[in-house]
Amino acid sequence: MSIVTVQLGQCGNQIGFEVFDALLSDSHSSQGLCCKRENEAYQASCKERFFSEEENGVPIARAVLVDMEPKVINQTLSKAAQSGRWKYGQHACFCQKQGSGNNWAYGYSVHGPRHEESIMDLIRKEVEKCDSFSGFFIIMSMAGGTGSGIGAFVTQNLQDQYSNSLKMNQIIWPYGTGEVIVQNYNSILTLSHLYRSSDALLVHENDAVHKICAKLMNIKQISFSDINQVLAHQLGSVFQPTYSAESSFHYRRNPLGDLMEHLVPHPEFKMLSIRNVPHMSENSLAYSTFTWAGLLKHLRQMLISNAKMEEGIDWHVRPPLSGLPSLGKMSLNKDLHFNTSIANLVILRGKDVQSADVEGFKDPALYTSWLEPVNAFNVWKTQRAFSKYEKSAVLVSNSQFLVKPLDMIVGKAWNMFASKAYIHQYTKFGIEEEDFLDSFTSLEQVVASYCNL
């Protein structure tokens, strides 16, 4: 089944390009470590999901690109065309000459309604090209004005017009130190609106990805392109094909539906994170060997201790003993040590994958009391290796990982709101103080729900 990707704003369009490029270069990689027939089935499955009919032998991404300034979209289109491997559709973009000035209200209340018809028309045409349509993958940031404001507006429209189709929003969480002075306002408005209209929010924190680039990839001067390539690698390792069942060698037909089914058992809990192992530079890779036991031991401890990457894992954190009150019942002022999960999905790719033992993830102590591990944990596998790694493991988790960052953003936004800082920039575009208060209330409820797991 096919997925239509909607790329919004500068951040969404730059990441979208890297995701399609990573998907295609992986599916054509000669390092797949599997037989020719299996490789062909893998390629066909990847193409059906993310690319439509070829034009002169070049696959076209199933994507719609939206930005309020032409520069990034033009760069993205030409980079894709120059790759020679794939390209975007000729009429798949919508851009204007005037940005949103990092103002969520301007994106949501002015640009959104003004261009609604044109944007929704492009999306409808893309959906109609799919023989079998699974849903939308919407890539956007929270800090600016276009990705966040128009992103929230478009997601709401998709919910109205395609209520039976799944919507997953991939959100870039801003740097803690700040890129934009009003980023906390933009973030709370985005999150509270998406919580109403999206089925799942797949969150990437800029700070965490930056650390991966610095510590694991050994990149000295980190650019947005480096960060986006790490994101694309993580997303590709989730969305590339896997077998549909333990003993089956057929590829899964509906990855978006399966992800939602396994990971979002309740509409109050829809924040997902990705962690993957290994992640390293080409130079280090040449001297490394991996075992499934080693990879999974690291991945499990990253989950338990809420580590974003392999380096610096706290090995002292342990799950609470069954039967004792869970440490997960935490208050926010106490440091969050053990990370309680609602649901986890482990995706394994590579050599001897059938021998990997995932029993450690089935421990009831890892999960909230209202979901049995048999329902809370799933594993997907394929012998086909991903990217340059002979063996790799990814964890997609619905857990308490965002409680602290979310509480911080809400707190910072509230401090600004209490002194009425910059509020006039939003009220002049129709976002009232009531709207802010609604956003604070709904996000405080999200924080409380995750804290009480």
Side-chain angles (χ1 to χ4, degrees):
M1 293 176 84
S2 304
I3 297 168
V4 169
T5 300
V6 183
Q7 305 177 181
L8 291 142
Q10 175 179 344
C11 170
N13 280 298
Q14 289 173 335
I15 292 171
F17 165 78
E18 297 292 357
V19 169
F20 283 111
D21 209 53
L23 290 168
L24 208 76
S25 55
D26 168 64
S27 69
H28 286 283
S29 150
S30 55
Q31 301 175 323
L33 305 175
C34 60
C35 68
K36 184 166 180 254
R37 199 175 110 240
E38 183 159 344
N39 215 16
E40 283 168 357
Y42 182 87
Q43 282 177 9
S45 182
C46 166
K47 274 203 181 149
E48 183 205 13
R49 285 174 190 189
F50 288 102
F51 297 90
S52 60
E53 274 311 303
E54 302 187 359
E55 192 176 283
N56 307 330
V58 181
I60 298 172
R62 297 185 189 276
V64 172
L65 296 76
V66 179
D67 200 0
M68 291 300 120
E69 294 168 291
K71 184 177 155 194
V72 170
I73 283 192
N74 291 338
Q75 286 171 347
T76 306
L77 293 175
S78 67
K79 270 171 83 176
Q82 282 163 13
S83 77
R85 288 194 296 250
W86 64 281
K87 62 183 182 180
Y88 286 106
Q90 261 179 315
H91 308 294
C93 332
F94 179 84
C95 60
Q96 294 290 296
K97 296 282 186 283
Q98 174 196 18
S100 303
N102 289 326
N103 186 329
W104 187 91
Y106 197 61
Y108 183 83
S109 304
V110 179
H111 280 321
R114 183 182 291 165
H115 305 303
E116 173 183 357
E117 205 172 310
S118 309
I119 294 171
M120 296 310 289
D121 200 45
L122 284 180
I123 292 173
R124 181 182 53 75
K125 285 178 180 161
E126 206 52 54
V127 171
E128 284 171 358
K129 289 182 200 164
C130 303
D131 291 339
S132 165
F133 175 60
S134 168
F136 298 99
F137 186 53
I138 302 148
I139 308 178
M140 55 194 273
S141 90
M142 301 197 311
T146 300
S148 65
I150 297 184
F153 182 83
V154 166
T155 306
Q156 209 167 298
N157 266 292
L158 293 175
Q159 174 59 16
D160 295 340
Q161 295 182 30
Y162 298 89
S163 54
N164 294 331
S165 300
L166 296 166
K167 286 152 287 295
M168 178 180 274
N169 291 66
Q170 197 254 339
I171 311 172
I172 304 304
W173 198 273
Y175 284 104
T177 48
E179 305 150 59
V180 176
I181 196 148
V182 288
Q183 69 177 28
N184 298 313
Y185 281 167
N186 293 339
S187 297
I188 62 150
L189 290 162
T190 305
L191 283 170
S192 60
H193 279 72
L194 291 182
Y195 233 81
R196 293 197 282 271
S197 51
S198 177
D199 295 301
L201 312 182
L202 190 55
V203 178
H204 274 104
E205 295 171 79
N206 264 340
D207 288 307
V209 183
H210 197 96
K211 275 186 188 152
I212 289 173
C213 289
K215 300 256 174 72
L216 302 185
M217 310 294 283
N218 298 322
I219 300 169
K220 298 288 176 274
Q221 301 268 303
I222 298 168
S223 67
F224 276 124
S225 179
D226 295 321
I227 285 175
N228 294 344
Q229 280 167 19
V230 169
L231 290 173
H233 177 86
Q234 292 193 336
L235 291 168
S237 59
V238 171
F239 282 106
Q240 282 293 54
T242 52
Y243 299 140
S244 57
E246 189 64 41
S247 55
S248 148
F249 290 100
H250 295 292
Y251 284 110
R252 194 171 285 286
R253 291 274 298 136
N254 182 7
L256 210 52
D258 292 343
L259 273 170
M260 307 286 194
E261 184 188 333
H262 294 333
L263 290 167
V264 189
H266 189 290
E268 184 69 28
F269 303 97
K270 50 176 79 166
M271 299 273 205
L272 308 179
S273 68
I274 301 179
R275 293 170 176 80
N276 68 314
V277 287
H279 221 133
M280 55 180 57
S281 64
E282 295 277 2
N283 298 349
S284 312
L285 189 61
Y287 304 102
S288 308
T289 53
F290 305 104
T291 64
W292 285 119
L295 290 175
L296 289 164
K297 181 182 176 186
H298 276 88
L299 201 57
R300 182 178 186 269
Q301 194 62 25
M302 283 163 74
L303 167 68
I304 289 172
S305 62
N306 198 14
K308 306 295 189 319
M309 60 179 183
E310 265 185 285
E311 195 168 303
I313 297 175
D314 184 347
W315 289 96
H316 298 297
V317 180
R318 290 272 176 272
L321 295 166
S322 301
L324 291 178
S326 161
L327 293 176
K329 304 266 191 297
M330 47 140 209
S331 63
L332 269 170
N333 49 17
K334 196 163 76 196
D335 230 329
L336 169 54
H337 290 304
F338 176 70
N339 178 39
T340 304
S341 300
I342 290 177
N344 289 312
L345 166 67
V346 168
I347 303 171
L348 307 175
R349 302 174 180 278
K351 198 174 170 189
D352 306 326
V353 71
Q354 303 304 345
S355 67
D357 178 7
V358 291
E359 286 304 307
F361 287 90
K362 297 177 182 175
D363 179 353
L366 302 187
Y367 299 94
T368 179
S369 56
W370 50 263
L371 213 58
E372 292 294 316
V374 65
N375 300 317
F377 175 71
N378 283 277
V379 60
W380 297 357
K381 296 177 182 177
T382 173
Q383 290 169 0
R384 168 65 156 75
F386 177 69
S387 185
K388 57 195 180 190
Y389 299 109
E390 179 187 75
K391 296 184 176 85
S392 61
V394 188
L395 169 73
V396 191
S397 178
N398 185 346
S399 64
Q400 294 173 319
F401 79 108
L402 260 187
V403 163
K404 261 190 159 169
L406 180 54
D407 197 59
M408 274 177 69
I409 273 191
V410 171
K412 285 178 181 172
W414 178 256
N415 290 342
M416 280 175 68
F417 181 76
S419 58
K420 299 280 187 277
Y422 301 103
I423 292 291
H424 63 284
Q425 294 189 7
Y426 292 77
T427 51
K428 69 181 177 189
F429 298 119
I431 298 298
E432 300 301 331
E433 291 188 17
E434 278 297 304
D435 297 309
F436 278 96
L437 292 170
D438 286 348
S439 294
F440 285 123
T441 307
S442 82
L443 294 180
E444 279 164 0
Q445 179 57 51
V446 171
V447 170
S449 298
Y450 271 105
C451 280
N452 290 329
L453 284 177

